[in-house]
Amino acid sequence: AAAPADTKAAAPVDPARTLREASRPPTLSPSLLDGFPNPFRDVIQLRFQVPATMGEAFVWDDDETPTQLDVSAAVPWRSGTPRVTVKIYSVNGQELVTLFSGDMGVGENVVSWSGTDSYGRSVSSGTYFCKLQMDDWSVTRRLVYIR
């Protein structure tokens, strides 16, 4: 006679716990933030996306997604929707301007930056960084401003 089939279902995996306990914590996918044109002279359009699933949201070192993680599961945002900020920083880490700050649902969004700081003063030509922060995770892109 054949052995009886195991009728116990596997315990559901908690995505938030899996992320917290990962030996190598994930980072937000670089594809969630992009700027065009880059380098830019007058204005750069910064496209950012709030991802719906774990697979869209994160990348792991060496592409080692935890085996128990369902990449099609919803991202475990703290409040159901993430707190999102888009900020520009100088090469020495000084925060220059916040382009967006607020709670945001899933989807693609665009903000623009015209090479000015939070006081409206023009910045000099050079390299800057745009940081997209969603809850506890972030991704940063390098921008080049040419006057």
Side-chain angles (χ1 to χ4, degrees):
D6 186 2
T7 57
K8 289 194 298 185
V13 175
D14 175 8
R17 183 175 178 187
T18 301
L19 290 174
R20 280 192 311 272
E21 295 175 355
S23 60
R24 294 185 203 165
T27 57
L28 282 180
S29 172
S31 66
L32 298 177
L33 176 64
D34 197 19
F36 182 81
N38 191 16
F40 73 104
R41 184 174 303 279
D42 298 314
V43 176
I44 187 168
Q45 301 296 317
L46 298 159
R47 178 199 59 81
F48 64 98
Q49 181 174 342
V50 177
T53 67
M54 300 286 277
E56 293 172 342
F58 299 108
V59 292
W60 282 261
D61 288 341
D62 302 325
D63 293 328
E64 290 188 17
T65 305
T67 54
Q68 72 277 20
L69 186 65
D70 178 3
V71 294
S72 65
V75 180
W77 304 118
R78 277 187 260 154
S79 303
T81 58
R83 177 77 180 161
V84 176
T85 60
V86 180
K87 296 182 178 189
I88 303 294
Y89 293 87
S90 66
V91 291
N92 64 3
Q94 178 186 6
E95 183 181 317
L96 297 177
V97 64
T98 298
L99 301 175
F100 179 84
S101 180
D103 293 339
M104 183 171 283
V106 170
E108 188 170 300
N109 304 276
V110 177
V111 293
S112 59
W113 182 49
S114 58
T116 58
D117 66 12
S118 59
Y119 300 102
R121 300 177 296 208
S122 291
V123 299
S124 60
S125 293
T127 300
Y128 295 88
F129 295 96
C130 179
K131 182 178 181 181
L132 168 64
Q133 180 89 33
M134 292 187 226
D135 282 353
D136 297 329
W137 302 288
S138 66
V139 63
T140 302
R141 287 283 194 187
R142 184 173 45 118
L143 311 176
V144 177
Y145 180 49
I146 303 169
R147 285 178 39 154

